Every structure is written in C-alpha cells, then in structure tokens.
Amino acid sequence: MVRMQADGRLPPAERRNYRSVIDAIGRMVRQEGVGSLWRGSSLTVNRAMIVTASQLATYDQAKEAILRQRGAGADGLGTHTRVMNMKVDKGASAPYAGAVDCALKTVRAEGPMALYKGFVPTVSRQGPFTVVLFVTLEQVRKLLKDF
C-alpha cells in the first residue's frame, strides 16, 4: 500500500503503475526478492511500539482518572479491556496467561465476533487521527523541504 500510494508522486518514467495490491506484491517478489516486502518494517515496528506504549499509558491514566471521579462501580466496558481488568485473587492463577490465551478463551466462550467488540469505536477514533496525522506530516515536510 505504501508503494502504491508513493507511486503517484514519482516522475512518470519511474512509476511502477501497479494494478492492485496482489500485482504489487507479485512484482516486488519477482523483481526485488521476498525481502523487499519487509523493507522499512523495522522502522514501522519501532513506531508501532512507541505508539502502543503511548496508547497504553494514556489508556491507563485515563481509566484511573475516570474511576477516581466516578468510583469503582464505573469500571465497565467503557473503561477497560479483558486482560487489563482480569481479577486475580491472591494465590490463584490469572484467568488469562496472555493475549493469545485471552483470545482463545474469549472465542471459545463467546464466539469469534467477541474479538471485534470495540472495533467501531476504535476505527472511529483511529481513522480520523491517522488521516490528520499524515496530512499534517506531509504539510510539515512541504514546509521544511527548503531547509
């Protein structure tokens, strides 16, 4: 997708003119090798780690603030996730051993659609943020390109 989006900004003689994502992947593998599919992935992983750490820290702080104002009874779907909210009694083992265990137990107990709880609010929040982020990034790049 990144390649396809960047292709339009290349001079016409240098454009790859991919027809679809499948065409792009196939041509990349044939012309540049399988490793080309992961070009830049280390930077993406680092960015994702920073974003996720920021999101988790913000989430925890916001949840604590909400619960301080509304009381422990407000601890519900709007203020938590399963793993972060699991109750572990002293001497007992945790209900979930990790993300994969949580996903498996959730699917067994509630079906696969349970994994999509909160999907619409997350996309509604992340979508506009991502658009604004990248539009801002491009505008800043445009401003700073002469420096």
Side-chain angles (χ1 to χ4, degrees):
M1 291 303 295
V2 171
R3 280 259 186 115
M4 291 176 73
Q5 290 170 342
D7 206 42
R9 286 194 264 153
L10 293 173
E14 294 178 28
R15 290 185 186 157
R16 298 171 185 101
N17 296 317
Y18 297 123
R19 293 186 307 272
S20 66
V21 173
I22 302 299
D23 177 49
I25 291 170
R27 285 172 49 191
M28 286 171 67
V29 168
R30 282 191 305 277
Q31 295 169 2
E32 302 169 46
V34 174
S36 68
L37 297 175
W38 283 272
R39 188 174 299 132
S41 64
S42 63
L43 296 174
T44 300
V45 168
N46 287 328
R47 178 193 168 276
M49 288 188 307
I50 292 167
V51 169
T52 300
S54 301
Q55 286 176 330
L56 291 175
T58 303
Y59 171 86
D60 281 340
Q61 292 296 311
K63 179 181 173 183
E64 285 178 23
I66 290 167
L67 294 178
R68 269 195 307 273
Q69 286 191 348
R70 295 188 179 175
D75 193 5
L77 185 59
T79 57
H80 70 274
T81 67
R82 288 174 190 259
V83 174
M84 295 176 92
N85 192 50
M86 69 180 165
K87 185 178 180 183
V88 182
D89 295 323
K90 276 191 173 178
S93 61
Y96 306 116
V100 173
D101 183 50
C102 179
L104 292 172
K105 287 179 179 175
T106 300
V107 169
R108 284 186 198 123
E110 302 175 41
M113 291 308 291
L115 298 176
Y116 293 94
K117 287 181 181 176
F119 178 77
V120 172
T122 298
V123 170
S124 298
R125 179 177 54 86
Q126 291 284 342
F129 167 78
T130 302
V131 170
V132 169
L133 174 70
F134 289 124
V135 168
T136 302
L137 172 68
E138 293 304 323
Q139 294 305 310
V140 169
R141 281 184 179 161
K142 191 160 66 170
L143 288 170
L144 297 178
K145 78 175 181 180
D146 295 327
F147 287 103

